[in-house]
mmCIF file of all heavy atoms in Angstrom:
data_model
loop_
_atom_site.group_PDB
_atom_site.id
_atom_site.type_symbol
_atom_site.label_atom_id
_atom_site.label_comp_id
_atom_site.label_asym_id
_atom_site.label_seq_id
_atom_site.Cartn_x
_atom_site.Cartn_y
_atom_site.Cartn_z
ATOM 1 N N ARG A 514 -11.444 7.297 12.318
ATOM 2 C CA ARG A 514 -10.061 7.605 11.959
ATOM 3 C C ARG A 514 -9.099 7.129 13.030
ATOM 4 O O ARG A 514 -7.951 6.790 12.726
ATOM 5 C CB ARG A 514 -9.876 9.101 11.761
ATOM 6 C CG ARG A 514 -10.557 9.682 10.536
ATOM 7 C CD ARG A 514 -9.966 9.108 9.217
ATOM 8 N NE ARG A 514 -8.525 9.090 9.198
ATOM 9 C CZ ARG A 514 -7.760 10.108 8.874
ATOM 10 N NH1 ARG A 514 -8.307 11.252 8.545
ATOM 11 N NH2 ARG A 514 -6.444 9.986 8.861
ATOM 12 N N TYR A 540 -5.788 -3.568 4.238
ATOM 13 C CA TYR A 540 -4.363 -3.733 4.543
ATOM 14 C C TYR A 540 -4.118 -3.357 6.007
ATOM 15 O O TYR A 540 -4.807 -2.508 6.585
ATOM 16 C CB TYR A 540 -3.508 -2.784 3.684
ATOM 17 C CG TYR A 540 -3.420 -3.114 2.221
ATOM 18 C CD1 TYR A 540 -4.342 -2.626 1.306
ATOM 19 C CD2 TYR A 540 -2.358 -3.879 1.734
ATOM 20 C CE1 TYR A 540 -4.232 -2.915 -0.040
ATOM 21 C CE2 TYR A 540 -2.239 -4.164 0.387
ATOM 22 C CZ TYR A 540 -3.188 -3.681 -0.494
ATOM 23 O OH TYR A 540 -3.074 -3.967 -1.830
ATOM 24 N N GLN A 542 -0.996 -1.769 8.245
ATOM 25 C CA GLN A 542 0.300 -1.120 8.151
ATOM 26 C C GLN A 542 0.828 -0.835 9.558
ATOM 27 O O GLN A 542 0.347 0.063 10.245
ATOM 28 C CB GLN A 542 0.241 0.171 7.333
ATOM 29 C CG GLN A 542 1.618 0.772 7.098
ATOM 30 C CD GLN A 542 1.606 1.949 6.126
ATOM 31 O OE1 GLN A 542 0.602 2.619 5.948
ATOM 32 N NE2 GLN A 542 2.729 2.194 5.466
ATOM 33 N N GLY A 547 5.614 -1.366 5.319
ATOM 34 C CA GLY A 547 4.684 -1.157 4.229
ATOM 35 C C GLY A 547 3.367 -1.821 4.532
ATOM 36 O O GLY A 547 3.262 -2.665 5.418
ATOM 37 N N PRO A 548 2.293 -1.453 3.791
ATOM 38 C CA PRO A 548 1.009 -2.098 3.992
ATOM 39 C C PRO A 548 1.087 -3.593 3.658
ATOM 40 O O PRO A 548 1.759 -3.996 2.714
ATOM 41 C CB PRO A 548 0.102 -1.380 2.974
ATOM 42 C CG PRO A 548 0.777 -0.071 2.700
ATOM 43 C CD PRO A 548 2.238 -0.366 2.809
ATOM 44 N N LEU A 550 -1.357 -6.881 2.865
ATOM 45 C CA LEU A 550 -2.716 -7.257 2.479
ATOM 46 C C LEU A 550 -3.297 -8.255 3.471
ATOM 47 O O LEU A 550 -2.702 -9.297 3.763
ATOM 48 C CB LEU A 550 -2.725 -7.858 1.077
ATOM 49 C CG LEU A 550 -4.095 -8.297 0.545
ATOM 50 C CD1 LEU A 550 -4.984 -7.098 0.306
ATOM 51 C CD2 LEU A 550 -3.933 -9.114 -0.740
ATOM 52 N N GLN A 553 -8.830 -9.490 0.213
ATOM 53 C CA GLN A 553 -9.246 -8.854 -1.026
ATOM 54 C C GLN A 553 -10.614 -9.394 -1.433
ATOM 55 O O GLN A 553 -10.813 -10.616 -1.464
ATOM 56 C CB GLN A 553 -8.232 -9.115 -2.139
ATOM 57 C CG GLN A 553 -8.583 -8.564 -3.493
ATOM 58 C CD GLN A 553 -7.569 -8.921 -4.559
ATOM 59 O OE1 GLN A 553 -6.483 -9.366 -4.266
ATOM 60 N NE2 GLN A 553 -7.951 -8.704 -5.814
ATOM 61 N N GLN A 555 -13.737 -9.277 -4.418
ATOM 62 C CA GLN A 555 -14.196 -8.936 -5.756
ATOM 63 C C GLN A 555 -15.707 -8.983 -5.666
ATOM 64 O O GLN A 555 -16.316 -10.037 -5.460
ATOM 65 C CB GLN A 555 -13.697 -9.946 -6.789
ATOM 66 C CG GLN A 555 -14.072 -9.620 -8.211
ATOM 67 C CD GLN A 555 -13.377 -8.398 -8.739
ATOM 68 O OE1 GLN A 555 -12.299 -8.046 -8.268
ATOM 69 N NE2 GLN A 555 -13.974 -7.736 -9.698
ATOM 70 N N VAL A 560 -11.442 -12.994 -2.666
ATOM 71 C CA VAL A 560 -10.456 -13.441 -3.661
ATOM 72 C C VAL A 560 -9.220 -13.986 -2.960
ATOM 73 O O VAL A 560 -8.672 -15.021 -3.373
ATOM 74 C CB VAL A 560 -10.058 -12.280 -4.606
ATOM 75 C CG1 VAL A 560 -8.922 -12.704 -5.520
ATOM 76 C CG2 VAL A 560 -11.256 -11.798 -5.398
ATOM 77 N N ASP A 561 -8.802 -13.309 -1.889
ATOM 78 C CA ASP A 561 -7.577 -13.702 -1.179
ATOM 79 C C ASP A 561 -7.692 -13.297 0.272
ATOM 80 O O ASP A 561 -7.876 -12.128 0.570
ATOM 81 C CB ASP A 561 -6.346 -13.043 -1.833
ATOM 82 C CG ASP A 561 -5.029 -13.520 -1.245
ATOM 83 O OD1 ASP A 561 -4.995 -14.029 -0.107
ATOM 84 O OD2 ASP A 561 -3.982 -13.353 -1.916
ATOM 85 N N SER A 563 -5.436 -15.074 2.519
ATOM 86 C CA SER A 563 -4.382 -15.954 3.001
ATOM 87 C C SER A 563 -3.602 -15.365 4.166
ATOM 88 O O SER A 563 -3.007 -16.089 4.958
ATOM 89 C CB SER A 563 -3.442 -16.334 1.869
ATOM 90 O OG SER A 563 -2.865 -15.174 1.286
ATOM 91 N N ASN A 605 -4.984 -2.003 -12.335
ATOM 92 C CA ASN A 605 -4.051 -2.293 -11.273
ATOM 93 C C ASN A 605 -3.899 -1.175 -10.246
ATOM 94 O O ASN A 605 -3.376 -1.404 -9.165
ATOM 95 C CB ASN A 605 -2.674 -2.599 -11.887
ATOM 96 C CG ASN A 605 -2.752 -3.682 -12.923
ATOM 97 O OD1 ASN A 605 -2.793 -3.431 -14.112
ATOM 98 N ND2 ASN A 605 -2.800 -4.905 -12.473
ATOM 99 N N GLU A 606 -4.318 0.036 -10.591
ATOM 100 C CA GLU A 606 -4.158 1.167 -9.672
ATOM 101 C C GLU A 606 -5.134 1.042 -8.517
ATOM 102 O O GLU A 606 -6.338 0.855 -8.730
ATOM 103 C CB GLU A 606 -4.409 2.466 -10.415
ATOM 104 C CG GLU A 606 -4.300 3.697 -9.534
ATOM 105 C CD GLU A 606 -4.588 4.971 -10.305
ATOM 106 O OE1 GLU A 606 -4.710 4.908 -11.547
ATOM 107 O OE2 GLU A 606 -4.712 6.028 -9.654
ATOM 108 N N GLN A 607 -4.598 1.148 -7.305
ATOM 109 C CA GLN A 607 -5.442 1.078 -6.121
ATOM 110 C C GLN A 607 -5.559 2.452 -5.500
ATOM 111 O O GLN A 607 -4.590 3.209 -5.432
ATOM 112 C CB GLN A 607 -4.854 0.094 -5.098
ATOM 113 C CG GLN A 607 -4.832 -1.345 -5.609
ATOM 114 C CD GLN A 607 -4.395 -2.338 -4.565
ATOM 115 O OE1 GLN A 607 -4.438 -2.078 -3.364
ATOM 116 N NE2 GLN A 607 -3.999 -3.532 -4.994
ATOM 117 N N PHE A 609 -6.470 4.418 -2.080
ATOM 118 C CA PHE A 609 -6.495 4.151 -0.641
ATOM 119 C C PHE A 609 -7.298 5.207 0.107
ATOM 120 O O PHE A 609 -7.317 6.385 -0.250
ATOM 121 C CB PHE A 609 -5.066 4.152 -0.080
ATOM 122 C CG PHE A 609 -4.299 2.908 -0.373
ATOM 123 C CD1 PHE A 609 -3.680 2.738 -1.613
ATOM 124 C CD2 PHE A 609 -4.181 1.896 0.567
ATOM 125 C CE1 PHE A 609 -2.963 1.580 -1.907
ATOM 126 C CE2 PHE A 609 -3.469 0.739 0.292
ATOM 127 C CZ PHE A 609 -2.861 0.579 -0.939
ATOM 128 N N GLY A 610 -7.927 4.749 1.193
ATOM 129 C CA GLY A 610 -8.557 5.676 2.126
ATOM 130 C C GLY A 610 -7.512 6.200 3.111
ATOM 131 O O GLY A 610 -6.347 5.802 3.045
ATOM 132 N N PRO A 611 -7.937 7.073 4.045
ATOM 133 C CA PRO A 611 -6.988 7.682 4.984
ATOM 134 C C PRO A 611 -6.520 6.715 6.071
ATOM 135 O O PRO A 611 -5.527 6.985 6.740
ATOM 136 C CB PRO A 611 -7.769 8.839 5.575
ATOM 137 C CG PRO A 611 -9.189 8.408 5.462
ATOM 138 C CD PRO A 611 -9.285 7.602 4.196
ATOM 139 N N TYR B 470 4.098 -6.844 -12.604
ATOM 140 C CA TYR B 470 4.133 -5.390 -12.606
ATOM 141 C C TYR B 470 4.844 -4.918 -11.358
ATOM 142 O O TYR B 470 4.946 -5.634 -10.364
ATOM 143 C CB TYR B 470 2.703 -4.779 -12.548
ATOM 144 C CG TYR B 470 1.750 -5.311 -13.560
ATOM 145 C CD1 TYR B 470 0.979 -6.431 -13.294
ATOM 146 C CD2 TYR B 470 1.562 -4.636 -14.760
ATOM 147 C CE1 TYR B 470 0.084 -6.900 -14.219
ATOM 148 C CE2 TYR B 470 0.654 -5.110 -15.671
ATOM 149 C CZ TYR B 470 -0.086 -6.232 -15.396
ATOM 150 O OH TYR B 470 -0.992 -6.705 -16.332
ATOM 151 N N GLN B 472 4.782 -1.261 -8.986
ATOM 152 C CA GLN B 472 4.133 0.021 -8.812
ATOM 153 C C GLN B 472 4.884 0.848 -7.771
ATOM 154 O O GLN B 472 5.519 0.308 -6.860
ATOM 155 C CB GLN B 472 2.690 -0.150 -8.337
ATOM 156 C CG GLN B 472 1.800 -0.945 -9.284
ATOM 157 C CD GLN B 472 0.356 -0.979 -8.848
ATOM 158 O OE1 GLN B 472 -0.115 -0.076 -8.178
ATOM 159 N NE2 GLN B 472 -0.352 -2.027 -9.260
ATOM 160 N N TYR B 474 4.193 4.096 -5.044
ATOM 161 C CA TYR B 474 3.192 4.886 -4.363
ATOM 162 C C TYR B 474 3.888 5.906 -3.487
ATOM 163 O O TYR B 474 5.002 5.679 -2.994
ATOM 164 C CB TYR B 474 2.319 4.023 -3.462
ATOM 165 C CG TYR B 474 1.280 3.165 -4.173
ATOM 166 C CD1 TYR B 474 1.658 2.021 -4.852
ATOM 167 C CD2 TYR B 474 -0.061 3.528 -4.203
ATOM 168 C CE1 TYR B 474 0.726 1.246 -5.529
ATOM 169 C CE2 TYR B 474 -1.009 2.781 -4.870
ATOM 170 C CZ TYR B 474 -0.610 1.641 -5.526
ATOM 171 O OH TYR B 474 -1.554 0.892 -6.188
ATOM 172 N N GLN B 476 3.339 8.135 0.094
ATOM 173 C CA GLN B 476 2.530 8.201 1.312
ATOM 174 C C GLN B 476 2.994 9.340 2.196
ATOM 175 O O GLN B 476 4.154 9.415 2.582
ATOM 176 C CB GLN B 476 2.614 6.874 2.085
ATOM 177 C CG GLN B 476 1.643 6.832 3.275
ATOM 178 C CD GLN B 476 1.549 5.450 3.919
ATOM 179 O OE1 GLN B 476 2.487 4.666 3.842
ATOM 180 N NE2 GLN B 476 0.424 5.149 4.546
ATOM 181 N N GLY B 479 -0.015 10.242 8.054
ATOM 182 C CA GLY B 479 -1.439 10.252 8.405
ATOM 183 C C GLY B 479 -2.363 10.046 7.219
ATOM 184 O O GLY B 479 -3.572 10.212 7.356
ATOM 185 N N GLY B 481 -3.280 7.654 3.410
ATOM 186 C CA GLY B 481 -3.071 6.420 2.691
ATOM 187 C C GLY B 481 -2.147 6.628 1.496
ATOM 188 O O GLY B 481 -1.954 7.764 1.044
ATOM 189 N N PRO B 482 -1.551 5.574 0.997
ATOM 190 C CA PRO B 482 -0.676 5.686 -0.186
ATOM 191 C C PRO B 482 -1.453 6.209 -1.400
ATOM 192 O O PRO B 482 -2.653 5.946 -1.551
ATOM 193 C CB PRO B 482 -0.200 4.261 -0.410
ATOM 194 C CG PRO B 482 -0.353 3.571 0.905
ATOM 195 C CD PRO B 482 -1.567 4.203 1.527
ATOM 196 N N PHE B 484 -1.167 6.302 -5.629
ATOM 197 C CA PHE B 484 -0.518 5.675 -6.814
ATOM 198 C C PHE B 484 0.221 6.718 -7.628
ATOM 199 O O PHE B 484 -0.309 7.819 -7.885
ATOM 200 C CB PHE B 484 -1.578 4.973 -7.643
ATOM 201 C CG PHE B 484 -1.088 4.470 -8.967
ATOM 202 C CD1 PHE B 484 -0.429 3.255 -9.050
ATOM 203 C CD2 PHE B 484 -1.277 5.190 -10.114
ATOM 204 C CE1 PHE B 484 0.031 2.766 -10.261
ATOM 205 C CE2 PHE B 484 -0.825 4.730 -11.351
ATOM 206 C CZ PHE B 484 -0.178 3.510 -11.414
ATOM 207 N N LEU B 487 3.101 2.785 -12.706
ATOM 208 C CA LEU B 487 3.143 1.322 -12.858
ATOM 209 C C LEU B 487 4.050 1.007 -14.036
ATOM 210 O O LEU B 487 3.989 1.679 -15.074
ATOM 211 C CB LEU B 487 1.730 0.777 -13.110
ATOM 212 C CG LEU B 487 1.576 -0.728 -13.357
ATOM 213 C CD1 LEU B 487 0.188 -1.168 -12.902
ATOM 214 C CD2 LEU B 487 1.787 -1.093 -14.821
ATOM 215 N N GLU B 531 3.569 -6.790 -7.997
ATOM 216 C CA GLU B 531 2.273 -7.393 -8.274
ATOM 217 C C GLU B 531 2.500 -8.703 -9.018
ATOM 218 O O GLU B 531 3.223 -8.753 -10.015
ATOM 219 C CB GLU B 531 1.443 -6.452 -9.133
ATOM 220 C CG GLU B 531 0.050 -6.977 -9.418
ATOM 221 C CD GLU B 531 -0.852 -5.904 -9.987
ATOM 222 O OE1 GLU B 531 -0.384 -4.772 -10.186
ATOM 223 O OE2 GLU B 531 -2.017 -6.212 -10.244
ATOM 224 N N THR B 536 -8.371 -10.460 -11.287
ATOM 225 C CA THR B 536 -8.820 -10.487 -9.904
ATOM 226 C C THR B 536 -7.836 -11.235 -9.007
ATOM 227 O O THR B 536 -7.898 -11.116 -7.801
ATOM 228 C CB THR B 536 -10.191 -11.140 -9.789
ATOM 229 O OG1 THR B 536 -10.128 -12.460 -10.334
ATOM 230 C CG2 THR B 536 -11.238 -10.342 -10.538
ATOM 231 N N SER B 538 -4.627 -10.783 -9.023
ATOM 232 C CA SER B 538 -3.415 -10.040 -8.781
ATOM 233 C C SER B 538 -3.348 -9.574 -7.332
ATOM 234 O O SER B 538 -4.359 -9.314 -6.706
ATOM 235 C CB SER B 538 -3.312 -8.834 -9.709
ATOM 236 O OG SER B 538 -4.312 -7.915 -9.402
ATOM 237 N N LYS B 539 -2.139 -9.520 -6.820
ATOM 238 C CA LYS B 539 -1.928 -9.227 -5.409
ATOM 239 C C LYS B 539 -0.702 -8.347 -5.277
ATOM 240 O O LYS B 539 0.337 -8.638 -5.859
ATOM 241 C CB LYS B 539 -1.732 -10.543 -4.662
ATOM 242 C CG LYS B 539 -1.378 -10.426 -3.205
ATOM 243 C CD LYS B 539 -1.209 -11.823 -2.608
ATOM 244 C CE LYS B 539 -0.605 -11.762 -1.227
ATOM 245 N NZ LYS B 539 -0.469 -13.108 -0.657
ATOM 246 N N LEU B 540 -0.814 -7.260 -4.507
ATOM 247 C CA LEU B 540 0.291 -6.335 -4.286
ATOM 248 C C LEU B 540 1.011 -6.672 -2.993
ATOM 249 O O LEU B 540 0.357 -6.872 -1.964
ATOM 250 C CB LEU B 540 -0.205 -4.913 -4.195
ATOM 251 C CG LEU B 540 -0.401 -4.068 -5.461
ATOM 252 C CD1 LEU B 540 -0.778 -2.641 -5.091
ATOM 253 C CD2 LEU B 540 0.855 -4.072 -6.308
ATOM 254 N N PHE B 542 3.971 -4.863 -0.673
ATOM 255 C CA PHE B 542 4.671 -3.607 -0.541
ATOM 256 C C PHE B 542 6.027 -3.769 0.141
ATOM 257 O O PHE B 542 6.194 -4.615 1.010
ATOM 258 C CB PHE B 542 3.858 -2.618 0.299
ATOM 259 C CG PHE B 542 2.704 -1.995 -0.434
ATOM 260 C CD1 PHE B 542 1.480 -2.636 -0.536
ATOM 261 C CD2 PHE B 542 2.839 -0.753 -1.059
ATOM 262 C CE1 PHE B 542 0.417 -2.070 -1.215
ATOM 263 C CE2 PHE B 542 1.793 -0.167 -1.729
ATOM 264 C CZ PHE B 542 0.575 -0.827 -1.819
ATOM 265 N N GLY B 543 6.965 -2.902 -0.245
ATOM 266 C CA GLY B 543 8.201 -2.743 0.502
ATOM 267 C C GLY B 543 7.953 -1.863 1.717
ATOM 268 O O GLY B 543 6.838 -1.379 1.947
ATOM 269 N N THR B 544 8.992 -1.653 2.501
ATOM 270 C CA THR B 544 8.859 -0.868 3.730
ATOM 271 C C THR B 544 8.858 0.626 3.487
ATOM 272 O O THR B 544 8.485 1.390 4.358
ATOM 273 C CB THR B 544 9.984 -1.210 4.702
ATOM 274 O OG1 THR B 544 11.230 -0.971 4.045
ATOM 275 C CG2 THR B 544 9.919 -2.643 5.177
#
Side-chain angles (χ1 to χ4, degrees):
Chain A
R514 290 296 314 276
Y540 289 88
Q542 187 172 24
L550 180 68
Q553 177 182 346
Q555 183 69 25
V560 174
D561 186 340
S563 58
N605 306 99
E606 178 181 351
Q607 295 186 19
F609 283 81
Chain B
Y470 309 88
Q472 300 186 27
Y474 285 77
Q476 188 170 26
F484 172 81
L487 177 152
E531 183 167 1
T536 57
S538 67
K539 175 180 170 179
L540 274 185
F542 283 85
T544 56

